[in-house]
């Protein structure tokens, strides 16, 4: 694995933290996303760019390595958290709620989320987090519409 690949797939080495690297990457992504303005084209571009990079990096990893989903790969959590926060109003309580829902879905993987991680060629590494992010974003918008 080359230097740049390792930096990106581990989200600047956050994935190498000894404890809870996925949670740390999700938290850092949430903090960064808080400062990205809610401009549709901007957030769409960022999410699509990170997702494409993530799918390519995970595909390359699965092609080159035997380990299916090592804990140092956290680009998937960054993508999932970014999707979770897509166009969500800049409110720290909403952001924390999205963080908690996303982490719950990512850790416990209910329903289709669990099955999605079995997709081959590195796609499953990303897919469960993308689905968790989409479900989180949908739930957040339902909650926002009730408020």
């Amino acid at each position: 694995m080359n230097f740049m690949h390792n930096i990106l797939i581990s989200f600047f080495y956050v994935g190498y933290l000894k404890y809870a690297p996925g949670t740390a990457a999700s938290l850092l992504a949430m903090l960064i996303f808080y400062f990205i303005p809610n401009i549709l084209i901007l957030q769409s571009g960022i999410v699509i760019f990170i997702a494409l990079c993530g799918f390519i990096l995970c595909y390359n990893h699965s092609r080159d390595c035997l380990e299916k989903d090592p804990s140092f790969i956290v680009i998937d959590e960054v993508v999932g958290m970014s999707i979770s926060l897509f166009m969500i109003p800049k409110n720290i309580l909403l952001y924390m709620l999205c963080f908690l829902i996303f982490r719950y879905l990512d850790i416990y993987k209910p329903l289709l989320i669990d099955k999605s991680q079995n997709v081959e060629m590195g796609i499953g590494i990303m897919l469960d987090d993308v689905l968790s992010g989409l479900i989180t974003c949908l739930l957040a918008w339902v909650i926002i519409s009730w408020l």
Side-chain angles (χ1 to χ4, degrees), residues 136-147:
T136 300
C137 189
L138 178 66
L139 289 173
W141 280 108
V142 167
I143 291 166
I144 290 167
S145 71
W146 285 346
L147 299 177

Side-chain angles (χ1 to χ4, degrees), residues 6-116:
N6 196 30
I7 285 176
L8 295 175
I9 205 165
S10 68
F11 195 51
F12 304 96
Y13 297 111
V14 171
Y16 289 103
L17 291 174
K18 189 173 183 175
Y19 300 106
T23 299
S26 299
L27 185 59
L28 185 56
M30 180 189 76
L31 293 173
I32 292 168
F33 218 80
Y34 188 81
F35 294 100
I36 297 173
N38 281 359
I39 300 169
L40 182 63
I41 192 76
L42 176 63
Q43 285 196 8
S44 298
I46 290 169
V47 169
I48 290 167
F49 177 75
I50 298 169
L52 285 174
C53 287
F55 276 105
I56 291 167
L57 291 166
C58 290
Y59 168 78
N60 289 338
H61 170 81
S62 72
R63 189 188 62 208
D64 299 337
C65 301
L66 296 176
E67 195 173 0
K68 187 174 179 172
D69 189 1
S71 62
F72 73 84
I73 297 178
V74 293
I75 189 72
D76 52 335
E77 275 83 8
V78 174
V79 171
M81 197 69 233
S82 298
I83 293 169
S84 297
L85 299 171
F86 184 73
M87 298 302 291
I88 297 295
K90 304 297 181 190
N91 177 298
I92 196 65
L93 292 176
L94 282 174
Y95 267 55
M96 289 304 298
L97 179 64
C98 288
F99 173 80
L100 292 172
I101 293 170
F102 173 73
R103 289 308 297 151
Y104 174 84
L105 293 172
D106 188 35
I107 292 167
Y108 294 106
K109 300 182 189 322
L111 306 169
L112 181 63
I113 297 170
D114 184 50
K115 301 234 183 292
S116 70

